Amino acid sequence: MDGDGVGKGGRYESPELVKRKVAMHVGYVGTDYQGLQFSKQEHVKTIEADLIQAIHQAGLISDCNQGDLEKVKWSRSSRTDKGVHSLATVVALKVIMDEGRYESDPEGVGLAQEITKHLPPQITVFSVQRVNKHFRARHFCFERTYRYHLPVFALTGQQDIAPGSAKETEALERFRKALAMLEGRHPFHNYTKMKKYRNNPIDSFRGPDKDWVAPAKSKLDRRPTEDNSEQQAKTKTKSRRKKATLDEDSDENEGRDSKDGQGAGPDDLEKIAWGALTPEEIRTGRFRYWNFEFKEIKAAERDGDVVVPAHYRELRGFTASDPHPVIPGGVRAVCVEVVGMSFMLHQIRYMISTAVCVARGYISFSVLEATLNASIRVNLSLAPPHPLMLSSSRFRPFPGLGTSPAKVSKWSGSELTVQSEGMKRQAVFNEQVLLPAINALLEKPEWGKWSKTLYLFSYNEGMHDVSASMEEFSLWHSKHTKAREEKIKSFEERGIDKATYWQIQRENRAKRKQEAGLRRRKPHDLKEEAKENTNGREGNGTSWSIGVWLGQVVSRINLRFRRGP
């Protein structure tokens, strides 16, 4: 049998069977799972492990390829965390199938039913659509929408409050205003595990309307490679892939960075999020969670605590519905919907919990605005994960040949989307499986415990530490804004428009990156280069080394021509 799964002998020997790439639309309840992504550790229960087994049992993957995701070209649109649900995950892979199957079933509902037969009730495949061989789910997905069902009492902190009361209405208005302030492109370094995204500190430009952050190389930035001469190349590739997919839907269930030895550790915020720690346990513990700090760029550079482009994300929408029961007769909740291209680890849960603190008056709007500036470091609360779900995904069109549409468009349309029969199956799963599961989670008593711990994350101008830091921040921000306006004005006086101004800024950035890269070179490399450059030719070392290099290039070209094609 060949590496792609179709070979001689066995149940796959048939002239009608071919290998084709497909995209499965999958929904699941993630409560009992350690996230979506497949793990080679047998004791770790994941969604993909069950999916792979079901696809194999349905006869779509050969025995030798089961569990080998590389061979079947496996890719996913999003990686949901532990306990997070989905209605819109797309998994792409190569399967063994009948060539003419899609002529009678263009949506692949029959394939979806065959796979679903081998899955537990909390996982369903809605449809299996044809895609071209270059389709990669994560790269083609350009927009993701998440929903979070928040119990209404969390906005006020009172479970016995009358529905539609003035206090509930006011809290909901403050909550919506806080969500609106988070829309747009900002550095969300305070809303994630900051250190995980500081992989390339040299590339630290932070947008045209933001500040410069000087590059810094510290021990925090020297991230070890994580997965597998040849082995080293594989390691680098997998490390880059891991960094690129470390979004909010990452399966890493870790907490926040600590700030100077303070702040939450890897597990404490999760415990608070589920009310496992009482306020007394928190106050007597080894961490304090109220920490608001203004940090200048130079101080951040010294500490290796820099904000990099990976901390910047764009929210295209952040809204909250009117309160309504999740299911008939169920818990009254507000459905929060956030739309963006990608999200960082736990970002959505931090944003929602912070907006709840604003709604209850624990955090002022001015402090909320300050948390979106790269010079502010603050510890924020973390909302429970289990009402969070991926509700929809959008994909860019399939590439065609010139002006001709893609071949798969006759089955799947110009771009990948759930079609009519798949939408029906999706709606049934949502109403009969997913929403009842979320409602049951919202009835847990731990929600009341989490709600009572939110006051520990209070940040208002009346607090001494916050007031002093806000004053420093305001002075710095006004000074920086004034300097930037004066610089733009000086360019305008010289007849340089805004686009040209930012082009000059980009060129300066590239120059600084190059200088920073030279500074990072190892001392022994510089010594070897100095020896090569001089080598007994004082005063002419550089030109001599360039001449040697050109001579080597010419020699290689001549050798190539002698050997012939």
Side-chain angles (χ1 to χ4, degrees):
M1 185 170 296
D2 65 18
D4 290 322
V6 179
K8 299 178 180 179
R11 56 174 173 162
Y12 303 105
E13 184 180 6
S14 171
E16 298 178 355
L17 293 180
V18 292
K19 297 169 293 183
R20 293 291 180 263
K21 200 163 193 179
V22 298
M24 299 190 307
H25 297 273
V26 184
Y28 51 84
V29 178
T31 304
D32 298 327
Y33 290 86
Q34 299 294 316
L36 170 71
Q37 189 178 14
F38 175 76
S39 174
K40 292 183 179 180
Q41 300 178 11
E42 295 182 0
H43 66 279
V44 178
K45 187 179 180 182
T46 65
I47 301 292
E48 285 186 346
D50 285 358
L51 270 176
I52 293 167
Q53 184 177 1
I55 295 169
H56 175 254
Q57 290 174 348
L60 302 178
I61 296 180
S62 64
D63 298 336
C64 66
N65 288 345
Q66 184 188 10
D68 193 333
L69 303 188
E70 289 290 334
K71 283 188 176 181
V72 296
K73 307 299 181 185
W74 188 281
S75 65
R76 62 191 73 82
S77 61
S78 300
R79 288 198 310 176
T80 50
D81 197 1
K82 175 184 176 181
V84 179
H85 322 293
S86 177
L87 270 177
T89 295
V90 170
V91 173
L93 73 157
K94 276 188 173 183
V95 299
I96 303 167
M97 55 176 291
D98 187 350
E99 175 67 33
R101 181 155 196 162
Y102 277 88
E103 300 300 333
S104 58
D105 184 16
E107 290 190 47
V109 175
L111 282 175
Q113 291 172 340
E114 290 179 20
I115 298 170
T116 304
K117 285 191 301 185
H118 304 284
L119 288 169
Q122 58 266 42
I123 306 177
T124 296
V125 178
F126 307 130
S127 61
V128 183
Q129 294 181 251
R130 276 288 308 276
V131 293
N132 58 31
K133 63 180 180 179
H134 299 297
F135 181 86
R136 289 185 64 84
R138 191 183 71 82
H139 294 159
F140 272 69
C141 185
F142 69 90
E143 186 177 275
R144 299 164 177 85
T145 301
Y146 283 85
R147 289 178 184 169
Y148 189 98
H149 290 83
L150 180 72
V152 178
F153 75 84
L155 297 175
T156 60
Q158 301 176 8
Q159 296 197 16
D160 55 350
I161 195 169
S165 63
K167 187 173 182 179
E168 181 182 288
T169 303
E170 181 185 358
L172 184 57
E173 289 177 359
R174 288 176 60 88
F175 181 70
R176 284 172 172 164
K177 183 179 177 181
L179 297 181
M181 289 177 67
L182 294 170
E183 290 181 352
R185 188 172 187 271
H186 308 285
F188 287 98
H189 58 289
N190 287 315
Y191 295 83
T192 186
K193 187 170 176 64
M194 183 176 178
K195 187 172 64 176
K196 285 191 170 295
Y197 298 86
R198 203 182 299 124
N199 190 45
N200 186 10
I202 295 302
D203 187 15
S204 54
F205 178 63
R206 296 172 24 225
D209 56 341
K210 306 298 177 186
D211 317 320
W212 289 95
V213 176
K217 186 69 177 177
S218 71
K219 292 181 179 178
L220 294 176
D221 303 318
R222 296 168 190 159
R223 292 173 48 174
T225 52
E226 303 239 347
D227 298 309
N228 323 345
S229 82
E230 175 185 323
Q231 185 68 22
Q232 186 179 4
K234 290 182 180 179
T235 303
K236 290 181 179 178
T237 302
K238 294 186 179 180
S239 178
R240 287 196 297 268
R241 189 177 302 153
K242 179 183 176 183
K243 188 257 179 188
T245 56
L246 189 59
D247 297 332
E248 152 65 35
D249 26 316
S250 169
D251 62 344
E252 298 190 44
N253 190 29
E254 299 183 55
R256 296 280 314 243
D257 279 329
S258 62
K259 310 280 192 306
D260 299 326
Q262 297 169 350
D267 302 315
D268 295 301
L269 281 179
E270 281 291 342
K271 292 179 180 178
I272 293 177
W274 271 115
L277 297 178
T278 64
E280 291 74 22
E281 289 173 329
I282 295 169
R283 287 195 178 279
T284 57
R286 62 190 181 94
F287 296 108
R288 68 180 178 92
Y289 295 90
W290 47 99
N291 180 32
F292 188 92
E293 179 186 4
F294 167 72
K295 181 172 282 191
E296 290 185 346
I297 293 175
K298 290 184 179 179
E301 180 183 355
R302 285 195 304 269
D303 298 341
D305 188 17
V306 294
V307 174
V308 298
H311 291 120
Y312 275 79
R313 302 297 158 114
E314 182 179 0
L315 303 188
R316 299 171 182 172
F318 210 173
T319 57
S321 69
D322 292 329
H324 64 278
V326 177
I327 59 175
V331 178
R332 287 181 73 243
V334 173
C335 182
V336 182
E337 187 171 275
V338 56
V339 183
M341 182 176 179
S342 63
F343 301 90
M344 291 185 286
L345 181 67
H346 302 331
Q347 180 186 342
I348 295 174
R349 293 165 59 193
Y350 276 115
M351 293 190 298
I352 290 175
S353 186
T354 302
V356 171
C357 289
V358 173
R360 289 165 66 164
Y362 298 149
I363 296 178
S364 63
F365 288 106
S366 59
V367 171
L368 175 64
E369 185 179 9
T371 64
L372 299 174
N373 190 280
S375 297
I376 294 296
R377 304 291 184 271
V378 56
N379 289 329
L380 300 171
S381 58
L382 181 65
H386 300 297
L388 180 63
M389 70 171 177
L390 176 66
S391 61
S392 67
S393 302
R394 293 182 62 191
F395 297 84
R396 60 185 174 90
F398 298 114
L401 292 174
T403 58
S404 303
K407 184 178 179 181
V408 297
S409 61
K410 66 177 182 179
W411 301 300
S412 302
S414 60
E415 61 187 50
L416 185 66
T417 181
V418 184
Q419 298 180 10
S420 58
E421 292 300 320
M423 290 179 67
K424 291 178 183 177
R425 290 170 59 82
Q426 188 183 55
V428 170
F429 178 79
N430 185 42
E431 294 173 6
Q432 298 183 2
V433 181
L434 184 54
L435 290 181
I438 291 177
N439 185 76
L441 290 167
L442 295 182
E443 292 176 342
K444 287 181 173 288
E446 287 84 355
W447 281 94
K449 297 178 182 179
W450 167 75
S451 177
K452 291 177 182 178
T453 62
L454 290 179
Y455 78 96
L456 295 168
F457 299 88
S458 298
Y459 300 103
N460 288 295
E461 285 82 347
M463 301 170 65
H464 173 70
D465 292 344
V466 175
S467 178
S469 296
M470 284 294 291
E471 186 176 349
E472 279 187 274
F473 167 68
S474 299
L475 291 172
W476 173 85
H477 190 264
S478 60
K479 180 181 177 181
H480 169 76
T481 304
K482 184 179 179 181
R484 186 176 59 190
E485 290 174 352
E486 289 177 353
K487 185 179 286 187
I488 294 176
K489 186 178 179 181
S490 68
F491 274 86
E492 290 175 349
E493 290 174 353
R494 287 184 283 168
I496 299 175
D497 59 5
K498 199 171 183 180
T500 308
Y501 167 75
W502 290 121
Q503 178 62 30
I504 294 172
Q505 294 289 65
R506 284 192 289 271
E507 291 174 359
N508 291 338
R509 173 187 65 179
K511 184 178 178 181
R512 278 194 289 269
K513 284 174 61 177
Q514 185 179 7
E515 292 174 353
L518 292 174
R519 288 197 299 269
R520 291 175 62 203
R521 298 175 69 175
K522 297 178 181 179
H524 68 269
D525 292 338
L526 297 176
K527 286 181 181 178
E528 292 296 326
E529 184 178 344
K531 287 180 182 178
E532 252 183 50
N533 287 342
T534 56
N535 197 24
R537 292 169 173 79
E538 306 227 354
N540 197 27
T542 303
S543 60
W544 179 83
S545 62
I546 292 175
V548 171
W549 175 77
L550 287 173
Q552 291 174 347
V553 172
V554 172
S555 299
R556 289 177 182 174
I557 293 173
N558 292 335
L559 183 63
R560 178 68 181 269
F561 278 107
R562 287 196 200 101
R563 289 177 178 173

